Amino acid sequence: MRFAQRMSRITTAASFDMLARGKALEAQGRSIIHLGIGEPDFDTPRFIRQAADDALEAGFTHYGPAAGLPELREAIARAWSQRRAIPCSAENVIVTPGAKPILFFSMLALLEPGDEVIIPSPAFPTYASVAAFLDARVVSTPLDPSRGFDLDLAALAARITPRTRMIVLNSPHNPTGAVLSDATLDAVRELAIQHDLVVLSDEIYGSMVYDLPYRSIASLPGMAERTVVVDGFSKTYAMTGWRLGFGIMPAALAKHIATLMNNSNSCTATFVQKAGIAALAGPQTEVAAMIAEFHARRDLVVSGLSQIPGVECYTPSGAFYAWPDIRATGFAASELADRLLDEAGVVTLPGTGFGAEGEGYLRLSYANSQDNLREGLARIGEFLAQNGTA
Ligand SMILES: Cc1ncc(COP(=O)(O)O)c(C=O)c1O
């Protein structure tokens, strides 16, 4: 079989490979601590599961509109106008099976071959993979470790050319956990307006912020009309497996994304959307408890990592990732991640899975119990005491 040339330009994320290797070792009887996978370890709240059961019983087993059920689009628009101060109504909202289709479809609808897309590095690998797949030009711009992995604004401005079409933002950030500062959002807004750029703002971790209130770039004056907000239920409501996400975007773009949905998935599962309506309308106490727990785990992991000789870890303000700097251990990122898995039984991800700027870092997900986090930190500390150069 002969494959289309474009298939050589699309990639898959390394996190699933490391998870599979960890599971294979577990199947052989090894004790493995999983700090690799990026999904909440909590169950979806019961009232949301019950709403899906009720919807199945009530006959929500058929096709629905490609753009999403009108009542869910309205509920999302209401909630995001209130929670994030994003000016929007139902016509701006498209519901998809998870957040990833919004990334894929908005790039598909907006990018011509040769258009330039500025992507901060390190980054969630899907952005560059999809842009390259569409024959757009990926332009990496560094995050600044000395400013808590905020954007280097001078570097960003220097990368804008007449071919630049889109800037990708992701805050809170995967893999570093960083939250972009207000000053950065204001500066990106100015650049986007001045150069007529689209901002693709991935806010999937927007409810997981620990030190400050969250601010969406789409809430700033003049930005709703040039921003695609990527969001969903996966992380906030511990619903990764349900596949329920959405985008908030200008109405004209929303029509195109609905057409892409019509031609690909047809629609998002209707009983799942009913569960989404319940999630937004119901008590947010479990979400608040989950976020408080992530906050406590963040403090545990950052202080634990910082006590390991050769490891330095800044305090991320959001998401559930720590991004320790391991350069002083003498290991390259992928060798350390491999050996921690094989010899210490701890799954981590090498920073290089998130771009070249990830060399010298690991990504640890703290979506695991505090007991397991303590055990994982102890194993990493012991391994480095025996094998590291620090
Ligand atoms: C930054 C970021 N964006 C998007 C996604 C995808 O979300 P979903 O599972 O809803 O498609 C993830 C999942 O890990 C993510 O980390």
Side-chain angles (χ1 to χ4, degrees), residues 251-263:
L253 174 62
K255 287 207 181 82
H256 286 298
I257 306 287
T259 304
L260 291 170
M261 271 295 287
N262 175 293
N263 281 273

Side-chain angles (χ1 to χ4, degrees), residues 10 32 36 44 49 52 70 72 90 93 112 118 135 168 185 200 206 209 221 247 312 314 370 385:
I10 198 162
I32 301 293
T44 307
R49 287 182 272 147
L72 177 56
V93 177
E112 298 285 4
I118 300 183
D135 227 356
V168 176
L185 296 182
L200 185 64
V209 285
E312 259 183 59
Y314 94 107
Q370 296 198 25

Side-chain angles (χ1 to χ4, degrees), residues 102-261:
I102 296 290
L103 292 174
F104 202 108
F105 292 156
S106 46
M107 287 194 176
L108 201 51
L110 291 166
L111 298 178
E112 298 285 4
D115 280 352
E116 294 175 6
V117 183
I118 300 183
I119 302 178
S121 179
F124 183 53
T126 304
Y127 313 134
S129 171
V130 176
F133 182 65
L134 299 173
D135 227 356
R137 212 167 87 71
V138 173
V139 178
S140 284
T141 196
L143 298 173
D144 182 356
S146 71
R147 290 173 45 250
F149 297 95
D150 205 335
L151 270 169
D152 178 337
L153 290 169
L156 171 65
R159 280 161 173 73
I160 297 175
T161 75
R163 284 311 302 265
T164 309
R165 178 86 175 103
M166 179 184 278
I167 299 179
V168 176
L169 298 184
N170 173 214
S171 174
H173 184 249
N174 178 7
T176 66
V179 176
L180 295 175
S181 65
D182 287 356
T184 294
L185 296 182
D186 290 337
V188 174
R189 169 184 173 271
E190 269 178 35
L191 289 171
I193 291 173
Q194 185 188 345
H195 298 279
D196 191 22
L197 308 177
V198 174
V199 174
L200 185 64
S201 182
D202 185 343
E203 305 183 2
I204 190 95
Y205 298 101
S207 61
M208 295 168 175
V209 285
Y210 309 118
D211 305 313
L212 342 135
Y214 184 68
R215 198 157 163 245
S216 166
I217 194 162
S219 69
L220 305 185
M223 286 308 289
E225 46 267 58
R226 58 177 66 252
T227 304
V228 181
V229 174
V230 179
D231 211 324
F233 293 74
S234 299
K235 317 282 174 172
T236 307
Y237 292 98
M239 291 176 72
T240 47
W242 293 65
R243 310 314 299 139
L244 186 60
F246 58 88
I248 302 176
M249 64 199 81
L253 174 62
K255 287 207 181 82
H256 286 298
I257 306 287
T259 304
L260 291 170
M261 271 295 287

Side-chain angles (χ1 to χ4, degrees), residues 285-319:
T285 39
E286 281 177 77
V287 173
M290 185 170 79
I291 291 166
E293 174 63 18
F294 280 137
H295 191 163
R297 293 176 186 178
R298 177 201 65 174
D299 295 344
L300 184 160
V301 167
V302 170
S303 77
L305 284 168
S306 303
Q307 284 162 31
I308 299 174
V311 177
E312 259 183 59
C313 191
Y314 94 107
T315 304
S317 290

